[in-house]
Amino acid sequence: MSSDRYHQHFTVSWDQLHRDVRTLCHQMIERDFKGIVAITRGGLIPAALIARELNIRLIDTVCIKSYDHMDQGGLDIMKGVDHDGDGWLLVDDLVDTGKTARAVRKMLPKAHFVAIYAKPDGRPLVDQYLTEVAQQCWIQFPWDMGVAYVEPLVDQIKR
């Protein structure tokens, strides 16, 4: 898959991400989990926020690489876990094509799988998500962005 498949962009700020995670946590407040398994790298920050909001102290990771910037390639599973997910919360930032989600579902079939954002192709693979975005939309997460100087509008126009 190539980066030219993305025709829309959705920028998520730190504040928006935190609000979205808290909203998702409100939907899970009555559930008890043994711990969290974060899908790295994207699931790390949402997992930490969820752990705080749901007061979960045990966090593990499943380490999978499927993207090189905006290009999706093959799956590289670098680390799994030694259980089937029973009683665990599985967290990712985004479920996109479902490629990573299918692999993790196979590893942890009994986990409760949540994503903050979901695209139509991957949405059926998670138990819960907060926001659906278009399949052709690239989500720009706050950890992928930096703060930069923006020239005043009048200076931009007068050039």
Side-chain angles (χ1 to χ4, degrees):
M1 263 182 230
S2 171
S3 59
D4 46 324
R5 75 178 175 125
Y6 301 109
H7 304 290
Q8 300 170 2
H9 288 265
F10 173 44
T11 301
V12 178
S13 69
W14 287 111
D15 288 340
Q16 184 65 52
L17 178 72
H18 199 179
R19 281 191 303 271
D20 289 347
V21 167
R22 285 178 58 93
T23 300
L24 185 62
C25 285
H26 275 287
Q27 298 171 11
M28 296 185 290
I29 202 82
E30 297 299 323
R31 298 194 60 154
D32 288 319
F33 297 103
K34 293 177 185 175
I36 293 174
V37 176
I39 301 173
T40 67
R41 287 180 315 199
L44 284 172
I45 292 171
L49 295 171
I50 290 169
R52 190 248 182 221
E53 298 301 336
L54 297 182
N55 201 22
I56 298 171
R57 303 280 176 170
L58 186 57
I59 302 175
D60 200 351
T61 58
V62 170
C63 305
I64 297 178
K65 180 181 178 186
S66 63
Y67 274 91
D68 184 13
H69 184 52
M70 293 174 76
D71 295 318
Q72 192 174 34
L75 282 181
D76 181 11
I77 299 173
M78 297 168 277
K79 178 190 172 288
V81 293
D82 62 355
H83 56 82
D84 63 5
D86 188 30
W88 287 74
L89 179 62
L90 179 60
V91 178
D92 207 354
D93 57 346
L94 164 71
V95 61
D96 189 337
T97 63
K99 192 174 190 179
T100 299
R102 276 185 203 85
V104 176
R105 271 284 192 209
K106 191 173 181 180
M107 274 187 239
L108 298 161
K110 295 184 178 180
H112 184 76
F113 192 174
V114 299
I116 313 307
Y117 307 102
K119 293 185 179 181
D121 288 354
R123 186 184 64 229
L125 297 166
V126 294
D127 297 307
Q128 267 182 283
Y129 66 94
L130 184 67
T131 302
E132 184 173 340
V133 295
Q135 197 66 45
Q136 70 275 13
C137 183
W138 179 258
I139 299 178
Q140 193 69 52
F141 287 100
W143 50 83
D144 290 328
M145 297 182 292
V147 177
Y149 172 77
V150 177
E151 190 176 28
L153 186 58
V154 68
D155 293 342
Q156 292 176 32
I157 294 172
K158 288 185 176 180
R159 268 193 268 157

